[in-house]
Amino acid sequence: MADVEEPQFNTLAERIAALNQQKNFSAPSTAGKRPPPPPPVRAATDIPVVPPTLPNRNEGLPTPSLPPRPTRAASAINRPPPLPRRTTEQDIPEDKPMPAVNKKPPPLPSRNSIQQTPPALPSRRPTSASLPVPGVRRNSNSSDISHLSNVSASSWNHTASSSARTSITSDSGHPLRKLPPAFDQAKLPPLPPTRRELEAKAREAQQELEREATRSAPPAVSQGPPRLPSRSSLPPPSATSREPPALPSRPSLPPRLPSRPARHSTFPDVEEEPGPPLPNRRLPPPTLSDKPKSVPEPAPPPIPLSSRPTFDVVVSRKANGTEVIPRSVSAPPVGPDCLICRDFSGPDTAAAQHPISSLPRHDTIRYLAHVLCDPFDSPTDKARAIFTWCHHNMAYDTHGFFNNCIPHHSSPAEQIFSGKAVCQGYADVYKAIALAAGLDCVLISGHGKGFGHHDLASGSSVPPEESNHAWNAVRIDGGEWKIIDACWGAGHLGDDRLFHKKFSPEMFYLPNEIIGKKHFPTDRRHFYRSDGRVLTWEEYILGDGPTPCWYGDADKDGLDQFSLEPRTATIPVYSGEVVRFQFSKVCVHWDPERNGGGKHYLYVVAIEGRDGRNKDFVPLDTDGFWWWTDIPAIDLGAPGQKITVFAVSTIDNKCARGLTKEEWLRKKGRCAYSFVGICAWDLV
């Protein structure tokens, strides 16, 4: 039996029609038997395979014949069937082939069919080649600068001298620009006098006054000129009044040395005058025999005021007599009103006698208020007792802080028995005990320049305001609101992320203006400054800029960090100025022997010398309250080096407390000595 070639269809409609014809085919009945499946389609070259004859159980019945397969035209054998097209016009019946759809898109309109006239452009103005017109490109030959550059200097001067209002015109008569008036050096205003000229006139006037005073003074017999006064004996600037001066709140500093004049003059035609001689290094004064006898006797030295009794001495003398000096607002606080020098041994002792292990579990806050505050009548002593107790019995929760797992909504009693808290916990505990003791106390939230804070670099933008700290304000003696920070007073976080317990009493006694340099409240009512000033966020975050390095040993000696000068962390070497190094005690009542470890040290400035090749130690002068010295900036060292103020702690293997400047100058370089750092600057 030969294979029947499988029909090929050109369209989908033809295939559908063929399937429909096979579906309608009716064959004679085979008595319930299904006809065998059609043979597989094989290629024409294959050997025809005769299917095996199946046994027929109904022998004798007629065998049905298969219908012939539809054939397709020979021309459509090799053509692929086209893709079907969708149509929505009419439904195609199943027994009819799908008609060929041959729709072409409508032709695009030709460009010639658009009959639109472009808008007419405005007529251009006639321009001249020499007159520049805005918006019109000019050739290089029409450049005004090229045209003006062709004019010679002689003809230009001749034209300018003929008329001060001569102007350049183009060929069409339009003016190009007006000429300035002719330069006449004789009509220029005179230059202001330079600083050298002013200083020279001042010196001449001073010398003239001294000569007149010498001529009018009677002759005096003297074996030689008197000794030069030391810096500590120099008077303040105003010492000519006959009336007794008012008692100052703080001892006054001696006047600063004048800055060194510039080396090169700005005007080369002016002859430079020699500048004033630089002050000598702090050496012992020369003896009388070393000075030449031909030197004329100068005016007598001014009366030294450094030996004038201090305010405390005057108060004690008046109090011992029949008259008592009245206290004024400008006078420094004396006795218990000064928080720096006040004796807090009673409150501090009471705070150390009640550890957490001795506290009852019931009504803990009221119990602490009773044992800490009831023994004292002064609100200041009560506030100090609570402040010191927080230092002894609470530690900073470093685990919760660095792992962001701080327990919230804990009561003050729960935080007390846990023994650890962050700044918010310290402030909550302090406020709870203070209110239970009858004190007025508030909790303040805001920003604190604590762990992780860095000063802004020069030119950096101001960051937005944020809140990261909490502290307190309590009302003390006299109804004054005092800002305190029990958290920072208990210790600090180190670079090792550990809490270092260290009692910092300055967080209790420092003035509100000083504490406000590192505390910015969210509620602007909680500044509590004595001047009533409210700082802005920009003023607070910028502060005084980078400050000098201040070492902790200076606080033990009662030195005031905020009186330190220079205030900036860097010192320019080639500024041509004389740099004043100075600092003072924290309080006029601070006694080094009573409040510190003994007599004051001698303080020296370690300089590197000009160009950094001559190291030296310059001692500071003092009047008992201030320490100061003046050094030319060029003699400090080279850029990149460091300037440090040291305290001479030992000399010749002995304690150097009470060492004087004269003893240091005699022993310097002849024996061993050791130092303790106070502060440092960088040279730029």
Side-chain angles (χ1 to χ4, degrees), residues 511-524:
N512 295 344
E513 291 80 7
I514 301 300
I515 293 184
K517 292 179 177 290
K518 295 185 178 181
H519 294 75
F520 187 83
T522 303
D523 189 346
R524 303 301 191 264

Side-chain angles (χ1 to χ4, degrees), residues 598-620:
K599 294 182 179 180
H600 275 300
Y601 289 115
L602 176 71
Y603 301 104
V604 296
V605 181
I607 64 175
E608 302 295 336
R610 186 164 300 195
D611 298 331
R613 295 175 294 183
N614 187 15
K615 191 176 183 64
D616 194 6
F617 297 95
V618 182
L620 275 69

